[in-house]
Amino acid sequence: LILMPRKPRHTTNSNHLYFKYTNKAKGLQIEHVNQLWVSDITYIYTSEDGFCYLHMITDAFSRYILGYVVSPTLAACYTIEALNQAIALAGGGNLCGTIHHSDRGIQYCCDDYITRLKEHCILISMTEDSNPTDNGLAERVNGIIKNEFLEPLQTPRNLQEASPLVDNAIHLYNNVRPHMSLHMQTPASVYENK
């Protein structure tokens, strides 16, 4: 019996009329926490319900996942929920100087998302084209969560089973797994010692 690999699923729809911002992250020297946040959405396969989606925001300096939501759809309300978590964790208020970087997906370009960023004076940066390397750190975090913490486990049947698995994966990633790029510290220890 040969199992065929799953076809990749695309979570980005850039074919929309919303304004697309320039890439402010390209060539940026990351020197402290809350300087650059990277955002992305990835899919999680479930055996009964098909795909659910993981919306994440990660601090680029510490690699700390600041906000995340597991959702049944790609609707922007879930992406905004992850953003709200990140804003709250960073202290809320004026986050002037923080750059939010994402692809050009409709969730990140829609009015509600952009308004939320502007309410906190967060600068907006987007990839220049569909090249995933333009948002490489977010893609890498997606891969670590899925390939190291989720996919080696039994496939969840549905969103209700996937959610606690993601909670545990992100807890381990943030608080337990040391990162070579952080001199073998955890993202939580680097972020909290800002």
Side-chain angles (χ1 to χ4, degrees), residues 119-193:
E119 283 172 354
H120 291 274
C121 302
I122 298 171
L123 300 173
I124 303 163
S125 171
M126 294 180 180
T127 57
E128 292 173 354
D129 54 33
S130 58
N131 186 350
T133 59
D134 280 355
N135 201 9
L137 178 58
E139 298 279 349
R140 178 160 169 68
V141 173
N142 285 348
I144 292 169
I145 295 297
K146 288 170 68 173
N147 299 326
E148 292 187 25
F149 294 108
L150 294 177
E151 290 184 357
L153 303 173
Q154 185 177 355
T155 301
R157 289 182 300 164
N158 49 41
L159 178 70
Q160 289 69 35
E161 282 191 4
S163 291
L165 293 176
V166 170
D167 290 341
N168 186 57
I170 290 178
H171 170 76
L172 293 172
Y173 171 89
N174 274 343
N175 299 284
V176 177
R177 181 189 188 273
H179 289 236
M180 286 180 60
S181 62
L182 301 176
H183 307 291
M184 301 311 288
Q185 298 179 83
T186 64
S189 64
V190 174
Y191 189 81
E192 289 161 6
N193 289 322

Side-chain angles (χ1 to χ4, degrees), residues 50-72:
F51 292 95
C52 59
Y53 300 91
L54 174 57
H55 310 244
M56 285 193 295
I57 296 183
T58 303
D59 176 67
F61 181 81
S62 64
R63 310 296 201 263
Y64 189 78
I65 297 171
L66 297 165
Y68 70 94
V69 173
V70 182
S71 69

Side-chain angles (χ1 to χ4, degrees), residues 34-82:
N34 296 329
Q35 179 182 356
L36 176 67
W37 293 352
V38 295
S39 303
D40 200 19
I41 305 169
T42 191
Y43 66 88
I44 298 168
Y45 177 74
T46 68
S47 60
E48 292 179 359
D49 292 346
F51 292 95
C52 59
Y53 300 91
L54 174 57
H55 310 244
M56 285 193 295
I57 296 183
T58 303
D59 176 67
F61 181 81
S62 64
R63 310 296 201 263
Y64 189 78
I65 297 171
L66 297 165
Y68 70 94
V69 173
V70 182
S71 69
T73 72
L74 288 166
C77 62
Y78 301 111
T79 318
I80 293 168
E81 189 178 334

